[in-house]
Amino acid sequence: MATSVQLDWHAIPSLEGVERRWAALRSHGGALTANLICRVNDAGDAERVAAFLAQIGPRHPSRIFLVSPGREGADMEARVAAQSPGSEFVQIGIAPERARSLVQPLLAADLPVVLLWRSEGANEGELAQWSAIADQVLLDAYRMGLSAEQLEQLQRKLGDHISVRDLTWTRLTPWRQLLCQGLETMPDAWGEIAQVSITSGHRRQGERPGLATTLLAGWLGHQLQWVSEGLQVHSPSGKKIGLRFGACPAEEKHGLFRRLVVECDGPKQGLSVVIQHRGERLTLDVHSGTRKLGEWSSPAVGELRSQVDTLDEELSVGGGDPLYQASLKRGVALLAGLGGAAR
Amino acid sequence: MTTTDVIAPNPLRAGLRMQRTAPPCVLVIFGASGDLTKRKLMPAIFALAQMQRLAPTFHVIGVASSDWDSETFRNNMKAAIKEFSIPDDAGGTDAAWESFAARIQYISGKFDDPGLFQKLASTLKSVPGTAGNVLFYLAVPPSAIGTVAEQLGRVGLTESSPQGWTRIIVEKPFGRDLQSARALNQELHQFFKEEQIFRIDHYLGKETVRNIVVFRFANGIFEPIWNRRYIDHVQITVAESIGIESRGKYYEEAGLLRDMVQNHLMQVLSVVAMEAPVRFQGGPVRDEKVKLITSIRELLPSGASNYDSVAVRGQYGPGFSNGEAVAGYRQEANVAPDSPRETFVALKVMIENWRWAGVPFYLRSGKLLPKRVSEVAIRFKSPPFLMFQDVFPESIEANVLVIRIQPDEGISLRFEAKVPGTDMRLRPVKMDFQYGTSFGEQQPEAYETLLLDAMLGDSMLFARYDMVEAAWALTTPLLEAWEATTPRDFPNYAAGTWGPEAADEFMRRDGREWRRP
C-alpha cells in the first residue's frame, strides 16, 4: 500500500454543485461504499488526514468529509478533491454548530455513515452532534489514551443505536490470529490452557494493565468460557488457569504487547505457543516440550500496527463487532476480579 | 471421515476476521520438478505463507524423478518464486523464506517404485505438528494419476481418519471423452472417496466465477427476471487473442472443444444458469451445477443428421493480431499441415427446465480472436409494446447485462435513456461497474484460492465426478462426429477476426447476432 498520496485540492466558493465537481474529478466513476466524517483541527490537519485516508481510497472508495472549526470571523471555507479511482473529499471549515447541516445533504444516499472520531480539540457536544447522524463511530481508544472503563463509559453515553468500533481491537487481530494458528497444531489444545502470560509493550511496573491487555484477556475468557472467582480463573471444567500480566522493561517500547505466552497441560502437556514482538515483525514459536514444532514470522505490524492497515481492516468488515463488545466487558470483569494481582 | 467432522472447532477462531487459514498439514507434490510446480504451485504456496494463511507447522514434500536432494529442491523453488511470483508476493524477506524453506523436503524416485512410497510414508510419520493431515497434489501427466493413486493405496496413505484427513488434488484434463473420464474416476475411486478428491480447474478459482454467484444470489432484484420470461438469450464468450503458442502437440490431441468448452464454458454456464443452492457450500452448489448440465438437451437436434444448426467449428489461418502478422494454425510447430483440429467453437445450447425452456445459450470460444475477453452477456427481451415509435421511429436496443470475467472484471448494464433536449430522442447508455476501480484490491491468484480451499476441505470450486461426466456426456457425441468428418473449409477464419463466417450465419438463422465484446 502506498505510503503517501497527494491530493489535488480545488477551492470552491460554496458547496452547491459539489457532487458534479466530484463526478468530473473522478473521471472513471466507480462505486462508493461509505460516507466517512472526520473532525479535524484545521486545514493542515485536514491535509494530513486526507493523505492518510487517500491511501485506502482505492480499496474503500468513500465520500469523505473533513470538518474543522473554521477560522475566527471567517465564513465557510471549502475545497474538494477526488481520487480516480478512489474517494471523494471535501474539507469544510465552518463553525461547529453549522457543520452538520452542511454535511447532511451531501451524504451519499443509502450508504453507511462512519464517524472517524479523534478527540483532539473536540468536545463531547460535537461527538453527540455527529454521532446522531452516524451509523458507526470508529475510534482509536489506544491512541486516545482511554482506559477500558472510560471506553465503556463513552459507549454508554452514545447509546445502543450506534455501533462503536475501536482500532485497538483491530490491532489485536494478528495476535489473535497467530494464537489460533499456534494452538491448532494440536487438536483441542485450547481446552488445555493452563497458563497465559501477557507482557505489555509499554506498561511499566506497578501500572494497571491497559486496554489492549484487557481486551485480549477478555477475548480469551469470553471465547473459552472462563469463570473468574476472586483471584482465581477457571475453565468450564474447573481447571485452574494462571493469568500473568507482565510489565515492559523501562528501556523498551513495543506497542501493544511485548510477548504473549500460552502453555498447556493435561494431554497436551508441554505445548507452548509464544508470540513476540520483534522489531517490525511478530514471531510465533510453537514447542512441544523442548521440540520445536514450527515457527512463523508475520510482517508489517511494526511497533504499532499502522493506522492505514487497521482502518483498512475495519472498513472491510463493516457493521458492529459483538465479539469486541463482549471481550471488553469480560476483560473489565476479569481484571476487576483479579484486582491488585493484575498489576 | 475428516478431522473436522470429529474435532470440535477452535472457539478462538469464531469471530476472527481472517478466518480462512489452513489447518496444519503436509502438502505432498508429485511432479515437484515440473513446470506447474515452479510456475504456479510454489509461488502460490509462498504467497499463502506470506499472508499467514498456512499453519506455522505447514510442510511441503516434493516428489519427482529428478535426481535432486532437498537442498537442490529448495534452491530451485526459491529461484522459481523470485521469477514467477507476482511482485507483492515475491517481496518476502530472506528470513521469511528461510523459515518457510526449513519445512520443505524432497524425495526422488519413480512413481512405479513401491520403495518411493514406503519412504514417503515414513517421512510423513516423522513430520511434527501437522495433526496427521496430508494433501497430495498430482502435478503429473494423466497417464501417471492411476499409478500414483494405487501406490499411495498400497502403503496405506489414502485413508482419512479421526487422526487426520487425506485429500488429493488432480489436475485437468479429466479424461479426453466420456469413456476415459469414467475410467479415470473409477481408478481414483478405488483408492479415494469422492469427498477426498479435488479436481482442479484453475478457471474456477478466478474471482468472477464466484462473483457471479454473489451477483445472482446476494441481490434481490436479478433473480425475479433471470428466466425465460424476461431473457431473450445468453451469450458466453471466452476469447483469446493468442494462438496455441508452443502447445502444438497438446492441441493436436485436444482441440478447443476439449480444452475450453467441455470444462471452462460448461462451468461458467452452470453458474450462470443454475437454480439457487440452499447454502453457499460445496455440496449444494455442485448439486445445482450438475442438475443444470444434465438438463441441457442433447446437442444433436431430433431428426437432424449433423450438428450444423447448433455447432460451428473453425480453425485460424494466417492473419494479423495486435498489428503483427501471425501464422495460421497449420503453420504452428508440431501441427500437421492438413490438421483438422478446431481452434474455434460456437455452440447453441438449450436447457430443458422451467426457468430456461426456449432460451438459447450461445457459447463461443476461440484462439487468435481480436481480443482477450471472457464475458457473459444476458440479452433481455424488448418491451412488449414500443409506445415511442411515433415520436422516435428508430429501433430501440434491448437491455443487455454483461458480466465481464476478464480482463477488467465487472458488470455493465445497457439501457435506453432520453437525450436531454426538447425533442424526444432515445439513446442507449451503459452503466458500468468495475471491480478494479471500485475496490482496488489485488485479486488472489487462482491457485492461491484453490490450494487454500483444498486444505480447508472446501470443494465448491472443484469439479465433482458427476459434473465432469455430465459435461463429457454432452460433448462427446459432437467430438466423435467432428472427428469422423474432415472439415473441408479449414482454415476458415483469419487470425485476428471473430471466427468463421459460418458462426455469424448460425446466429443470423436465429435472427440474432454475436455481441462485439
Side-chain angles (χ1 to χ4, degrees), chain A residues 38 40 43 81 129 146 164 170 176 192 197 204 216 232 236 251 279 302 306 308 311 329 343:
Chain A
C38 186
V40 294
Q129 171 185 266
L146 296 180
V164 176
T170 324
R176 292 164 57 210
E192 306 291 341
S197 307
R204 304 302 175 213
L216 188 63
Q232 296 289 321
E251 66 279 9
S306 84
V308 171
L311 186 58
K329 199 170 165 188
R343 284 174 196 252

Side-chain angles (χ1 to χ4, degrees), chain B residues 240-247 251 316 321 332 367-368:
Chain B
E240 296 193 49
S241 58
I242 55 170
I244 56 162
E245 299 192 301
S246 58
R247 298 198 303 158
Y251 231 77
Y316 63 83
S321 175
E332 303 273 16
K367 296 278 180 195
L368 267 171

Side-chain angles (χ1 to χ4, degrees), chain B residues 252-266:
Chain B
E252 281 287 271
E253 282 287 308
L256 192 121
L257 189 62
R258 284 192 181 93
D259 189 41
M260 301 295 287
V261 179
Q262 179 275 336
N263 38 50
H264 301 334
L265 271 86
M266 286 296 157

Side-chain angles (χ1 to χ4, degrees), chain B residues 250-326:
Chain B
Y250 165 74
Y251 231 77
E252 281 287 271
E253 282 287 308
L256 192 121
L257 189 62
R258 284 192 181 93
D259 189 41
M260 301 295 287
V261 179
Q262 179 275 336
N263 38 50
H264 301 334
L265 271 86
M266 286 296 157
Q267 290 286 354
V268 175
L269 169 65
S270 63
V271 176
V272 169
M274 71 181 180
E275 296 299 317
V278 290
R279 277 183 299 281
F280 190 57
Q281 288 173 355
V285 171
R286 300 201 300 179
D287 285 345
E288 292 304 333
K289 286 164 73 175
V290 172
K291 211 165 89 188
L292 190 282
I293 296 297
T294 51
S295 331
I296 296 174
R297 185 196 296 166
E298 62 180 70
L299 294 175
L300 186 67
S302 65
S305 60
N306 62 46
Y307 289 87
D308 290 356
S309 63
V310 293
V312 172
R313 57 177 159 166
Q315 186 190 78
Y316 63 83
F320 290 87
S321 175
N322 293 318
E324 299 287 332
V326 291

Side-chain angles (χ1 to χ4, degrees), chain B residues 144-192:
Chain B
I145 291 174
T147 309
V148 175
E150 187 184 343
Q151 295 279 18
L152 288 171
R154 281 189 182 168
V155 290
L157 287 177
T158 58
E159 294 293 319
S160 277
S161 72
Q163 281 70 49
W165 48 255
T166 300
R167 297 179 189 134
I168 185 166
I169 297 180
V170 184
E171 270 283 340
K172 82 171 182 91
F174 315 121
R176 51 176 286 109
D177 54 22
L178 179 59
Q179 195 186 356
S180 58
R182 279 186 178 149
L184 180 61
N185 283 334
Q186 279 166 9
E187 213 166 14
L188 284 168
H189 286 156
Q190 279 181 46
F191 305 101
F192 293 92

